[in-house]
Amino acid sequence: MTVSDQFSTFLTNIKLDNDDQLQSRYSEITLKLNKRFRNSDSTTANRLQVGSYGRYTGIKGISDLDMLYIMPNYLWDDYKNDPAKLLRHTRDALKERYPKTDITYDTLIVIVNFGNFKFEVQPVFEIELEDGSIAYKYPYTKNGGSYRVTKPRHEQAEMTRFRNEYGDTHRRLCKIMRSWINNVGLKMGGLLLDTLAYNFMKDDEDVARTSLSHFDELCRDFFEFLMNEPARDHYQALGSGQDVKVKKKFHSKAKDAYTIACDAISATDEEDRHDKWRDIFGKNFPKAESTTTNKSSNCRVVHFDDNEQFIEDIYSINIQGSLKIDCEIKSNGFREKFLSQILREHLHIGRIRSLDFFIEKCDIEEPFNVRWKVRNVGAEAKRRNCLRGEILYPNIRNSTSRHETADFTGPHYVECYIIKNGYVVARDRINVPIL
């Protein structure tokens, strides 16, 4: 499979597969708000689809859909001194349409939770800026309440201009990198990702026109760009120049991805190359064309089952926080080291060890549920037909932790997932090198 085939298949695999359903929800919400505030039956007027969906960089499994509803200007006097009332009235109108749906509002938006995805609806008032462009005033209910300005049309216009001039490279890279941040549990907003990808290629026409046949190198170079970015707490969004917050530093995860991407590009074995890209991007990156058999050192064909489960097949991914896991390594009941120390020192775990995986840090507010995944990798795992990879519950009494044993050699790994309100809101992986 060529590089072009790999990344073309990958993009097909992550293409939105429920667009009709999403558009139907957009229409229903728009109709209800138009009826409430304008006595209109239009399903499309007075709304703006924003966020990654509106910028055409959303992918399969998208969990947050963003929409601006443009209020009639004559109602400004009713709401200008009470932004919370605007959110409350918007919520109440949608509650009439979806009486059994969980609908709430927070500081900025009305949240309509449909289960496997949610709509974040922001009522706004349209304004014209000094340069003649259109922006919107949106409610902000903290500190007594006020209105702030957003410029999503500027961002969308720049995305469109860049595409018209250079082609689909930018949008493709944004979609692919959404798979990365979902797979590694990086807390990064979509507008920041699209802005970083734009900054990466805006000053280099050759990069901006990269074909799919060189997307392996493009991804590697983008990871290198990210890991070398100066530490900042915000960027200026493409097109609008408005501040977009850095929710979590991305340099360490970008460095890890860069290292794996370099290994993938230099790999001579097709299965190994695909597996490395799947380490970065997850299950939607295609497997090698034949991965059901493998040859051991004495050239016997080894047959093995691969029944790996993937958390995104069970829950939608909506990374909202950060998670860090570690493992206490014991021998004969006594602690030897923590796995994080082993990895820092580039050492290995000896066989016949007791391994207790636990959550070291998590910034998600309780309550939440925890799931684990233990994946054995390497020739010995295949020879024993013990790749594992099921989604598991904690198994240490009265804790969120997971007990395992180091039975045989291989570059194994363990993942942990935080589940809240039906979404994976944080995830982490730790490598388990057993020698």
Side-chain angles (χ1 to χ4, degrees), residues 17-228:
D17 58 355
N18 62 338
D19 196 52
D20 289 344
Q21 183 186 23
L22 299 180
Q23 286 291 352
S24 177
R25 294 297 194 191
Y26 270 117
S27 296
E28 292 168 4
I29 291 171
T30 304
L31 172 61
K32 181 58 188 179
L33 295 179
N34 274 331
K35 288 289 288 184
R36 168 63 178 81
F37 294 110
R38 285 185 168 87
N39 197 27
S40 165
D41 291 328
S42 175
T43 60
T44 57
N46 310 306
R47 73 145 188 243
L48 185 63
Q49 296 171 343
V50 293
S52 60
Y53 189 86
R55 294 190 300 274
Y56 300 98
T57 55
I59 62 174
K60 183 172 70 174
I62 188 172
S63 57
D64 284 357
L65 286 301
D66 301 302
M67 169 182 158
L68 301 188
Y69 178 74
I70 305 166
M71 297 290 294
N73 282 331
Y74 75 86
L75 291 178
W76 171 244
D77 286 341
D78 293 347
Y79 295 111
K80 65 180 180 181
N81 295 320
D82 194 352
K85 183 170 75 169
L86 176 57
L87 291 169
R88 189 167 62 251
H89 285 181
T90 303
R91 178 206 59 189
D92 294 345
L94 294 175
K95 197 66 179 176
E96 291 176 1
R97 175 60 182 84
Y98 304 109
K100 296 182 180 180
T101 300
D102 179 27
I103 304 178
T104 59
Y105 70 90
D106 63 10
T107 307
L108 308 167
I109 54 176
V110 176
I111 304 164
V112 187
N113 195 335
F114 291 112
N116 58 334
F117 58 84
K118 60 184 178 181
F119 272 70
E120 297 184 349
V121 182
Q122 190 169 62
V124 297
F125 288 91
E126 185 174 283
I127 58 173
E128 183 175 335
L129 301 178
E130 291 183 359
D131 62 2
S133 62
I134 298 300
Y136 302 94
K137 291 188 289 191
Y138 64 90
Y140 181 77
T141 60
K142 286 187 177 180
N143 303 321
S146 62
Y147 283 84
R148 297 183 173 185
V149 175
T150 183
K151 305 175 184 178
R153 288 192 183 275
H154 296 65
E155 296 147 9
Q156 292 176 344
E158 182 57 18
M159 292 280 294
T160 299
R161 184 201 68 79
F162 203 71
R163 180 175 184 257
N164 290 340
E165 185 168 353
Y166 297 113
D168 286 328
T169 302
H170 177 241
R171 285 185 181 174
R172 286 170 172 169
L173 183 63
C174 292
K175 291 178 179 182
I176 284 172
M177 288 301 155
R178 270 172 177 73
S179 286
W180 169 59
I181 64 176
N182 285 343
N183 186 54
V184 301
L186 176 59
K187 185 179 179 182
M188 177 184 286
L191 181 56
L192 176 58
L193 175 60
D194 294 352
T195 296
L196 287 166
Y198 172 83
N199 291 348
F200 165 63
M201 60 181 59
K202 68 178 181 179
D203 296 324
D204 192 324
E205 183 175 336
D206 290 337
V207 173
R209 297 185 188 277
T210 301
S211 68
L212 283 173
S213 60
H214 294 283
F215 250 64
D216 55 348
E217 296 171 348
L218 182 73
C219 291
R220 176 202 61 197
D221 294 346
F222 182 58
F223 290 132
E224 184 178 27
F225 168 81
L226 290 181
M227 75 186 207
N228 289 326

Side-chain angles (χ1 to χ4, degrees), residues 5 34 37 84 119 138 145 314 385 404 408 429:
D5 290 338
N34 274 331
F37 294 110
F119 272 70
Y138 64 90
I314 305 173
N385 194 20
E404 296 288 336
F408 54 89
R429 173 194 285 204

Side-chain angles (χ1 to χ4, degrees), residues 153-409:
R153 288 192 183 275
H154 296 65
E155 296 147 9
Q156 292 176 344
E158 182 57 18
M159 292 280 294
T160 299
R161 184 201 68 79
F162 203 71
R163 180 175 184 257
N164 290 340
E165 185 168 353
Y166 297 113
D168 286 328
T169 302
H170 177 241
R171 285 185 181 174
R172 286 170 172 169
L173 183 63
C174 292
K175 291 178 179 182
I176 284 172
M177 288 301 155
R178 270 172 177 73
S179 286
W180 169 59
I181 64 176
N182 285 343
N183 186 54
V184 301
L186 176 59
K187 185 179 179 182
M188 177 184 286
L191 181 56
L192 176 58
L193 175 60
D194 294 352
T195 296
L196 287 166
Y198 172 83
N199 291 348
F200 165 63
M201 60 181 59
K202 68 178 181 179
D203 296 324
D204 192 324
E205 183 175 336
D206 290 337
V207 173
R209 297 185 188 277
T210 301
S211 68
L212 283 173
S213 60
H214 294 283
F215 250 64
D216 55 348
E217 296 171 348
L218 182 73
C219 291
R220 176 202 61 197
D221 294 346
F222 182 58
F223 290 132
E224 184 178 27
F225 168 81
L226 290 181
M227 75 186 207
N228 289 326
E229 275 289 276
R232 302 169 59 174
D233 60 7
H234 71 279
Y235 284 78
Q236 276 65 54
L238 76 166
S240 69
Q242 293 191 294
D243 286 352
V244 54
K245 185 178 180 180
V246 178
K247 299 178 180 178
K248 191 72 176 179
K249 290 182 180 179
F250 47 76
H251 304 80
S252 176
K253 290 186 183 295
K255 183 177 180 180
D256 291 342
Y258 171 76
T259 300
I260 299 172
C262 289
D263 291 343
I265 291 170
S266 63
T268 56
D269 179 79
E270 183 177 4
E271 182 178 344
D272 183 40
R273 180 168 60 253
H274 282 251
D275 285 347
K276 291 184 185 304
W277 285 120
R278 285 168 66 86
D279 281 347
I280 296 172
F281 296 121
K283 66 181 287 273
N284 286 310
F285 195 90
K287 290 185 176 182
E289 292 180 346
S290 178
T291 59
T292 57
T293 62
N294 191 29
K295 292 186 178 181
S296 62
S297 57
N298 60 7
C299 297
R300 291 184 296 107
V301 175
V302 176
H303 296 271
F304 56 87
D305 300 313
D306 190 352
N307 299 313
E308 183 178 9
Q309 294 179 312
F310 297 92
I311 197 69
E312 43 269 83
D313 291 334
I314 305 173
Y315 300 99
S316 296
I317 308 297
N318 183 15
I319 301 300
Q320 300 175 7
S322 299
L323 171 68
K324 181 174 177 57
I325 60 175
D326 205 342
C327 175
E328 186 178 17
I329 304 168
K330 295 179 180 178
S331 177
N332 297 319
F334 295 96
R335 181 198 298 165
E336 290 186 343
K337 285 185 176 181
F338 287 102
L339 179 52
S340 56
Q341 183 180 353
I342 293 280
L343 296 173
R344 283 195 302 271
E345 297 173 356
H346 304 288
L347 302 175
H348 292 79
I349 300 171
R351 292 176 58 241
I352 318 302
R353 295 293 189 274
S354 172
L355 308 177
D356 288 339
F357 295 91
F358 63 93
I359 295 173
E360 180 181 345
K361 295 179 182 178
C362 180
D363 60 7
I364 298 296
E365 185 177 348
E366 295 189 64
F368 53 72
N369 294 315
V370 177
R371 300 290 183 269
W372 294 87
K373 175 174 171 177
V374 179
R375 181 67 169 171
N376 295 328
V377 183
E380 183 69 4
K382 293 175 180 178
R383 187 185 71 79
R384 295 193 183 198
N385 194 20
C386 191
L387 293 175
R388 298 184 64 183
E390 310 90 346
I391 304 300
L392 305 166
Y393 285 79
N395 64 353
I396 297 179
R397 187 179 178 87
N398 298 323
S399 80
T400 58
S401 303
R402 179 81 196 176
H403 174 75
E404 296 288 336
T405 56
D407 291 331
F408 54 89
T409 61

